[in-house]
Amino acid sequence: MARGKLRIYLGAAPGVGKTYAMLSEAHRRIERGTDCVVAFVEHHDRPRTEVMLHGLEQVTRRDLEYRGTAFTEMDVDAVLERAPAVALVDELAHTNVPGSRNAKRWQDVEELLAAGIDVVSTVNIQHLESLGDVVESITGVRQKETVPDEVVRRADQIELVDMSPQALRRRMAHGNIYKSDRIDASLSNYFRPGNLTALRELALLWVADRVDEYLQQYRGEHNIRSTWQARERIVVGLTGGPEGRTLIRRASRMAAKGSGSEILAVYIARSDGLTGASPKELAVQRTLVEDLGGTFHHVIGDDIPAALLDFARGVNATQIVLGSSRRKTWQYVFGPGVGATVARDSGPDLDVHIVTHGEVAKGRGLPVARGARLGRSRVIWGWLVGVAGPTLLTLLLTHVDADLGLANDMLLFLTLTVAAALVGGLIPALASAAVGSLLLNYYFTPPLHLWTVSNNKNIVAIAVFVGVAVSVASVVDLAARRTHQAARLRAEAEILSFLAGSVLRGETSLEALLERVRETFAMESVALLERAGDTDPWTCAGSVGDGRPLERPEDADVDMPVGDHMALALSGRVLPAEDRRVLAAFAAQAAVVLDRQRLQSEADQARTLAEGNRIRTALLAAVSHDLRTPLAGIKAAVSSLRSDDVEWSDEDEAELLEGIEAGADRLEHLVGNLLDMSRLQTGTVTPLIREVDLDEVVPMALGGVPDGSAELDIPETLPMVAVDKGLLERAVANIVENAVKYAPDETPVKVSASALGERVEIRVVDRGPGVPDSAKDRIFAPFQRYGDAPRGAGVGLGLAVARGFVEAMGGTLAAEDTPGGGLTMVLTLRAAAGRPPVRPELSSQVTS
């Protein structure tokens, strides 16, 4: 019997419409004549979902009792006995009640599939086993019911049911998901816009990976090596020249024409270490690529066209963008160039775009710096040309009936000697001269096939041949070495120029500089180590790369001392001696950058102190009027009481005393905020963290607002929080007073608290005019009062002080819109470690 097929509707969160989509699919299949039944579907009292069950055959569920409570589960035996073509099974990650046939519902589905029944099911992204930790870090809720990723990945079809966070929250607010008594709690906890956006991104990325995985699997099974243009990936080939910016912008315009296109800029450096490109220009191009949403890649390869094509096919690219050659016309005698070679070898699966630019035909400069030493492959080829070449030439001349004469024979042998010098250097050329002179003597100089020379003129000719060959080989080898040395020195000069410029501009960070060292010398990892004294242990001031961590300079493949107590350590390969000159410049620059960073840190501290002084001065200047107003009222009331000219009644005296008390309270509150703001600006707030119950602190913070203006909802089951009791009370008091100031007179401010994972939240909700998104951060700045027309007294310091106190305790304070209008202040604190966090009571749609 053939195995059944599994179709899964995957959602980012409860309420996006997975069950509705599954039932709609069932109705479509029944209309086509398919035998389809409902094995288990939970509508959760949602009217629109319940209506979709009408007209569908439902298999009777199995009744179970567990701990005195009755439950219903899917009856697997009944479904198998009914043997439909398609069965609808909702909530794939559900855990069955103990006593069921299987522990998990997905195991029930496996039985149905094994029996040849097609299954249509639903699951949320948060129930995938591999994403449990990620979802908990986002939402604060640990999903107890999960399904192995492999079960979902094996599905024959996966369809994403998507909905924007705003639309889902509107659906929630309209009562289409939960009942009205659970809407506010859900919107404030699990169904926050940030949570829903993150879950949606997780779902989209998971499905995209599943699609790519299936595509790669299909290509592998069918041995498809060509690129499939399922998604536009544009590779930009960079040389480090000034034309790179033009190519990147052109690729960005091409990518903008198609949705989901990617840009991958790649620079291919030769494997001999130092590059011939301008490091400064490459750094600018890297920044430009990242600003345009692309990625920058650094690849090592001696055959640039082949390396570029391998990279493009490896990332399944569809297009390659290259610039027109900068070579002059005569330079094409050395080959067709990278662009022409890539276009020739790209095949039908890759489109190659040659983009014109302002540097076309202006010359590409000296060859890439290779160092004074010739590579091993060139030396081997030099020996082959110098030794095997004369032998093959002798065989050719002795088996061809053509008497060219001794002079022409010598010229042919001399050509091979020059070629050996060009390819392999001086030593292969000298060997070629020696072998050529012996072969000329034995095969072409009378008497033949003897090592003697009968004619003195021939002796002179052979001697001249040897001398000329040695001289030409020396000159050619010297010229080749000087050319390579000049190219190397040019590359070194560009690098040193970049370093000098970065010193003057102060642009390079330590990590960026170390990354430049790693790329320049093709290393695995680079670290800057330092120690305080000769006997102190080494510490790492900064490191980059994926290699093994370096703890001492002795552990590195290359180390470059910088002074007595600092060293630059590199791992990956051993550098030749000539590379250490440039490495020493990098090491010195790294020490300078480290010193600059530390000086910058000290300057920031000094700036903070200066800013504190400035703030204190500004505070005194800004609140002079607000300080005088309560003082003037107090003085007037006291003067009136002390006056002998007026006989005050008991009611009048009480009213004057009440005014004095109100002015003193106002003055005390204002001065307290001023002092608190000054302490925050100077960094002198040191919280005394203790484990505290919120129901001991929050009620005390409401003493400064009128009776009935605030409603309190603090559950006793909340975990304790790790805070400074005094700072928390002041912060909550300022937040509540601000909310009461702007709330309507008949609508009290609601102060509630809830636990969310390892966090505890205090939410202060008002129904006032609210604050637009553009001003939500600005209201926490000192001296900021929204609308610049506050009701009551104040200088705009309450929220600034509150946020400062909360952040000093390791918490956060943010503003959100209140559903239906108004502003909600969300104060998030860390739960104390001594008591396990309380999981929020969520509906079955969230936890199952």
Side-chain angles (χ1 to χ4, degrees), residues 3 39 102 121 160 170 224-225 273 326 335 346 355 391 447 491 571 596 635 673 710 727 734 801 835:
R3 179 180 172 85
N102 296 300
S121 187
L160 178 66
R170 283 197 300 270
I224 299 173
R225 309 302 294 271
R326 288 183 288 143
S346 62
V355 179
T391 304
S571 68
R596 184 190 301 122
K635 180 175 177 57
N673 275 341
L727 296 183
N734 283 358
V801 170
R835 186 186 299 181

Side-chain angles (χ1 to χ4, degrees), residues 109-179:
V109 170
E110 287 293 322
E111 285 197 38
L112 299 181
L113 294 173
I117 301 175
D118 293 346
V119 177
V120 182
S121 187
T122 64
V123 70
N124 283 330
I125 191 67
Q126 65 263 30
H127 295 299
L128 295 180
E129 199 168 75
S130 66
L131 299 178
D133 294 338
V134 178
V135 172
E136 183 179 14
S137 67
I138 295 172
T139 64
V141 179
R142 182 67 180 184
Q143 300 295 332
K144 297 180 180 179
E145 296 186 329
T146 60
V147 58
D149 289 47
E150 185 59 29
V151 174
V152 182
R153 288 184 181 276
R154 285 201 307 263
D156 299 274
Q157 297 181 55
I158 298 178
E159 182 172 337
L160 178 66
V161 182
D162 190 26
M163 178 176 289
S164 69
Q166 294 77 12
L168 184 57
R169 283 173 60 85
R170 283 197 300 270
R171 177 181 288 186
M172 171 74 72
H174 293 159
N176 295 333
I177 301 178
Y178 296 154
K179 294 182 179 180

